[in-house]
Amino acid sequence: MKSEKEKRRAGELYDPLDPQLCRERDRCRDLCLLLNATREDQKQERQHRLAELFGKEADAWVQPPFFCGFGTNIVLGTKVFFNFNCVVLDVAAVTIGSNVLFGPSVQIWSSH
């Protein structure tokens, strides 16, 4: 039997209140809070938080505040820039190519 996460990834109906999915969203929110609390002189700390959030090293600059739903469903190319107050709701996979610059308050919503 498929897990709710597997169902979600397959585009099937799933229970968004599944405990595993709730834990993953909570983890993401906590990491976003930590990222958003960094100061401008904490560039390495920001990169560390982004790697935790996206599940791998990212060649990206994110100007806090930044918000996302899971983080691990976001795939970034190289040299990606998110300006202030961007939101990526990554219920489904979100792939962003290289050399992409997002202006302030850009919102990307994906769902099944």
Side-chain angles (χ1 to χ4, degrees):
M1 177 178 235
K2 289 183 181 179
S3 69
E4 298 303 309
K5 183 176 182 173
E6 290 169 330
K7 290 178 190 176
R8 188 197 75 211
R9 284 188 172 166
E12 299 171 7
L13 288 177
Y14 68 95
D15 178 4
L17 299 178
D18 173 69
Q20 177 187 2
L21 295 176
C22 289
R23 283 190 303 274
E24 289 180 17
R25 282 192 303 272
D26 290 347
R27 175 191 169 277
C28 181
R29 287 189 183 108
D30 288 344
L31 288 171
C32 284
L33 284 171
L34 291 170
L35 171 69
N36 293 337
T38 59
R39 295 182 317 271
E40 291 302 312
D41 64 346
Q42 295 179 297
K43 291 175 183 21
Q44 285 196 320
E45 176 70 15
R46 282 187 186 171
Q47 290 304 315
H48 174 71
R49 295 296 174 206
L50 290 174
E52 284 184 295
L53 190 59
F54 300 138
K56 65 177 188 173
E57 294 294 319
D59 183 14
W61 178 258
V62 175
Q63 185 63 55
F66 175 82
F67 304 95
C68 57
F70 289 92
T72 53
N73 294 328
I74 301 170
V75 178
L76 301 176
T78 59
K79 300 185 189 310
V80 174
F81 174 76
F82 288 96
N83 210 324
F84 297 100
N85 209 39
C86 287
V87 177
V88 180
L89 295 182
D90 58 317
V91 173
V94 174
T95 302
I96 298 168
S98 296
N99 302 305
V100 177
L101 310 174
F102 292 97
S105 299
V106 169
Q107 297 187 11
I108 300 168
W109 303 351
S110 72
S111 67
H112 294 292

